[in-house]
Amino acid sequence: MAQPPQSLRDSSPRGRPPPPPPPPARGGGGGGGGGGGSTRDNLVYAAVWLACAAPLVWLAFRAFTGDLGVNPIETLVRQLGVWGLRLLLVGLAITPAAVILRKPRLVRFRRTIGLFAFAYVTLHLSSYIGVDLFFDFGQLVKDILKRPFITLGMAAFALLIPLAMTSTNGWVVRMGRAAWSRLHWLIYVIVPLGVAHYYLLVKADHRPPLVYGAILAVLLGWRVWRKATAK
């Protein structure tokens, strides 16, 4: 599998555009560590990659064993979307964690988490179109126009596409760091749209989307506070 691009980008802790993302640590370790540092970096990266892939493997196993409940299609579609939202929130949490824990190298995982989030959201939409609608694109258009939660979800997905496409180091160079950074601020629109999509989708228990909304509020509030105190 190709290296996932770093689709989640934030401004730096003090409001300056972030530097170009470093390539994932596959052979050159973390400063002064020599071969041991390189091996450790590779193991940590592999652990992050496996952690991001594990929910998909678990869902596939549950589908294969018939353990998706009485409505397996709905369960599959929803869980793919929920995991996409969770990874988007994890991506937003990396910058605060890196600053608070004084572990700046944590930011190197945003690229991996970002593409995995995009992959889950893409699978969420694809399974809805293919398994639920049986590729009835006419019905899809009607749903987008008439069902607000689908309207919001499609808007979030559409905004995610340019972030995934431009998340490589090469695109930072092509666009220029300032323009690239402004584009990737769309994440602050995408994640709220995802939370709203989930909230409107749920018909009974709204506690999970409200929890995600609270987490999002904390993450955004931290950024506002950090920028205000940096002046």
Side-chain angles (χ1 to χ4, degrees), residues 72-82 124 127-128 131-132:
I73 294 176
E74 179 181 345
T75 300
L76 177 65
V77 172
R78 182 171 299 189
Q79 285 300 308
L80 287 169
V82 168
H124 169 67
S127 59
Y128 169 67
V131 181
D132 201 0

Side-chain angles (χ1 to χ4, degrees), residues 14 72 74-75 81 84 97 120 123 148-149 154 187-188 200 208 223:
R14 294 188 179 276
E74 179 181 345
T75 300
Y120 277 98
L123 289 172
F149 77 91
M154 287 297 297
I187 196 65
Y188 300 124
L200 294 176
R223 284 165 168 79

Side-chain angles (χ1 to χ4, degrees), residues 99-111:
V99 172
I100 294 169
L101 299 176
R102 299 183 181 179
K103 299 287 186 181
R105 286 180 60 79
L106 287 174
V107 299
R108 73 189 190 275
F109 299 125
R110 290 184 303 191
R111 173 176 298 184

Side-chain angles (χ1 to χ4, degrees), residues 114-197:
L115 184 59
F116 267 108
F118 178 71
Y120 277 98
V121 173
T122 301
L123 289 172
H124 169 67
L125 176 60
S126 299
S127 59
Y128 169 67
I129 295 174
V131 181
D132 201 0
L133 296 184
F134 296 100
F135 299 101
D136 185 345
F137 292 100
Q139 183 61 48
L140 175 63
V141 172
K142 292 178 183 178
D143 286 347
I144 293 172
L145 295 176
K146 295 182 179 181
R147 306 174 76 178
F149 77 91
I150 295 181
T151 305
L152 295 177
M154 287 297 297
F157 176 73
L159 293 176
L160 267 175
I161 294 173
L163 299 197
M165 291 177 60
T166 62
S167 291
T168 62
N169 293 346
W171 274 104
V172 179
V173 175
R174 290 188 195 97
M175 296 179 64
R177 190 177 300 173
W180 178 89
S181 181
R182 285 194 297 270
L183 174 64
H184 282 255
W185 287 341
L186 283 174
I187 196 65
Y188 300 124
V189 177
I190 292 167
V191 183
L193 284 174
V195 172
H197 166 72

Side-chain angles (χ1 to χ4, degrees), residues 11-109:
S11 58
S12 66
R14 294 188 179 276
R16 298 186 296 273
R26 284 191 175 274
S38 174
T39 301
R40 182 176 62 251
D41 283 350
N42 287 337
L43 289 174
V44 172
Y45 180 80
V48 172
W49 199 95
L50 290 173
C52 291
L56 182 59
V57 175
W58 177 240
L59 279 174
F61 175 77
R62 290 180 62 193
F64 180 76
T65 58
D67 188 34
L68 290 178
V70 295
N71 194 335
I73 294 176
E74 179 181 345
T75 300
L76 177 65
V77 172
R78 182 171 299 189
Q79 285 300 308
L80 287 169
V82 168
W83 276 106
L85 179 58
R86 288 170 178 166
L87 289 177
L88 288 172
L89 290 169
V90 170
L92 283 181
I94 287 181
T95 294
V99 172
I100 294 169
L101 299 176
R102 299 183 181 179
K103 299 287 186 181
R105 286 180 60 79
L106 287 174
V107 299
R108 73 189 190 275
F109 299 125

